[in-house]
Amino acid sequence: MIRLSVGLEDPEDLFVDLEQALAAIRHPEDHAVRHE
Amino acid sequence: MVVWDRAEAAVLFSSGMVPLPAPAWPFCGRATPCSSPTHLRRDGTPLPPCVAEFGITTVPFPAGANAEKLAALVAVHRSPRVIFLESPANPTMQLCDMAGARTVADQCSIPDRPTLLMVDNTFLGPIFCQPLALGRIWCSTRPPNSSVAILIWWLAWLWGVPKSSGRSRPCVPSWAPTPTGRGLAHQSLAGHAATPHGATAAQRVPSGRGAARSPKVARVYYPGLPEMGESQVALWRQQCSGAGSVISFDIHGGEAEAFRVLDAFRHIRLAVSLGGIDTLVEHPWSMTHAAMRSEQKHLAGSAMP
């Protein structure tokens, strides 16, 4: 679980940052393939 | 804060988590149980273990407990002096039934020894939730700090309880909702301005810029979201006028995946605070709630590291 306290920045900046942060992990289907 | 919280009086303090046990001190030596919610300490209560030496027993209950669960708890641990709610719960955003808890507290009160209801609504109050409207509640949206705060709490207690313990007195003093140093204007500005961002983020942040939620996000926790469950949505509509700017979410995988996401943020900063003008992110399992035992974390609803 990750907790996010959203401030007053431009939401688009936050979305971009979160999108690139989530890109640091693999897609769940990649996990499934790895475990098969 | 008297105006915003609709209280009879308010006491303002600096920030800090240490004074959470301050409300317990008036009960020292009275050998009476003090019910409390799960929180940040190792035993899952807001009180330090040493309170047992002063005759205080704490009984944790699950985050988001409803009136029925509280009544069942009170039936076993009779006549608690305090029912302490954290609503919304940190970090699962579960709401407690404050009106139900008020009823339970009234039912287990005995003459000359009322059961107090204390509410920590840091995430929403006083702008989006005013527990004091229910009457006879000590409301804390941000805990006071330092031994001075404890002294002032004692003074507030001596001043407030004799007036408020009677059934005819609807309100009691409130604590500060935010660190005084940040300013009341900031509290109002940040609360109002960040909430639309929070509401938008609850729908969009876990998915990035795309319209659909990212498959990497397993679940989102935010007051009023349908996936919080029907009873939680009903409580939110009943008790709150907004949802605030704090969001929690699970990502698929585990702690390693969460850490990779946290390490990858460039603009959003890793910090445990909240409610400010800067967007902050944290990992409750290993940061704010690290002192709690695993079983207490699960009781608090933080089931996923």
Side-chain angles (χ1 to χ4, degrees):
Chain A
M1 178 181 286
I2 290 174
R3 191 190 75 190
L4 194 65
S5 176
V6 180
L8 299 180
E9 303 95 330
D10 186 338
E12 290 303 322
D13 291 340
L14 305 181
F15 300 146
V16 170
D17 198 17
L18 193 99
E19 189 176 52
Q20 64 85 22
L22 286 172
I25 57 174
R26 282 192 294 267
H27 190 282
E29 292 179 359
D30 295 336
H31 287 282
V33 171
R34 185 183 60 181
H35 294 302
E36 282 178 354
Chain B
M1 301 328 303
V2 172
V3 174
W4 283 344
D5 255 334
R6 301 174 187 174
E8 291 179 344
V11 184
L12 301 176
F13 301 100
S14 296
S15 178
M17 298 301 293
V18 173
L20 267 175
W25 301 139
F27 305 110
C28 289
R30 301 188 184 188
T32 50
C34 171
S35 297
S36 72
T38 55
H39 215 286
L40 307 181
R41 294 190 180 277
R42 186 170 180 78
D43 60 354
T45 80
L47 305 178
C50 67
V51 298
E53 300 177 17
F54 298 92
I56 296 174
T57 303
T58 59
V59 182
F61 52 81
N66 57 25
E68 288 72 24
K69 289 180 180 176
L70 290 176
L73 198 69
V74 168
V76 176
H77 305 278
R78 295 181 178 178
S79 300
R81 298 300 307 272
V82 173
I83 296 176
F84 191 119
L85 307 177
E86 185 186 42
S87 181
N90 179 14
T92 59
M93 312 306 292
Q94 295 282 319
L95 298 172
C96 281
D97 180 0
M98 292 189 290
R102 173 71 272 163
T103 301
V104 172
D106 284 343
Q107 290 172 343
C108 63
S109 292
I110 57 179
D112 300 323
R113 208 193 73 168
T115 296
L116 295 180
L117 180 61
M118 297 184 179
V119 179
D120 177 350
N121 66 333
T122 299
F123 287 2
L124 293 180
I127 297 173
F128 302 113
C129 182
Q130 289 108 19
L132 291 181
L134 295 170
R136 299 185 303 284
I137 290 178
W138 293 77
C139 174
S140 169
T141 51
R142 197 75 179 186
N145 195 14
S146 82
S147 56
V148 175
I150 295 175
L151 172 62
I152 296 177
W153 166 260
W154 265 101
L155 295 175
W157 169 266
L158 294 173
W159 174 80
V161 166
K163 292 201 306 178
S164 61
S165 57
R167 307 246 170 179
S168 61
R169 300 286 299 195
C171 295
V172 295
S174 169
W175 292 352
T178 194
T180 309
R182 294 182 186 175
L184 301 181
H186 162 260
Q187 165 71 6
S188 177
L189 174 65
H192 281 289
T195 290
H197 293 189
T200 304
Q203 298 292 339
R204 291 189 54 194
V205 161
S207 62
R209 287 175 295 181
R213 178 173 296 174
S214 168
K216 298 173 183 178
V217 175
R219 182 181 171 182
V220 178
Y221 304 81
Y222 188 65
L225 275 190
E227 65 187 286
M228 297 294 286
E230 290 184 7
S231 61
Q232 282 291 304
V233 173
L235 272 179
W236 177 71
R237 288 177 175 160
Q238 176 185 342
Q239 298 180 164
C240 311
S241 59
S245 56
V246 181
I247 305 155
S248 298
F249 58 95
D250 294 329
I251 58 174
H252 288 289
E255 189 174 79
E257 284 75 10
F259 284 178
R260 274 201 289 275
V261 172
L262 291 170
D263 289 341
F265 282 113
R266 296 171 184 166
H267 174 79
I268 300 171
R269 291 186 295 171
L270 184 67
V272 297
S273 190
L274 52 83
I277 60 174
D278 300 319
T279 297
L280 305 175
V281 68
E282 69 120 359
H283 185 248
W285 188 277
S286 64
M287 295 173 70
T288 49
H289 294 60
M292 290 172 63
R293 293 189 296 265
S294 294
E295 60 268 28
Q296 293 294 345
K297 291 175 183 174
H298 286 290
L299 188 64
S302 300
M304 181 174 282

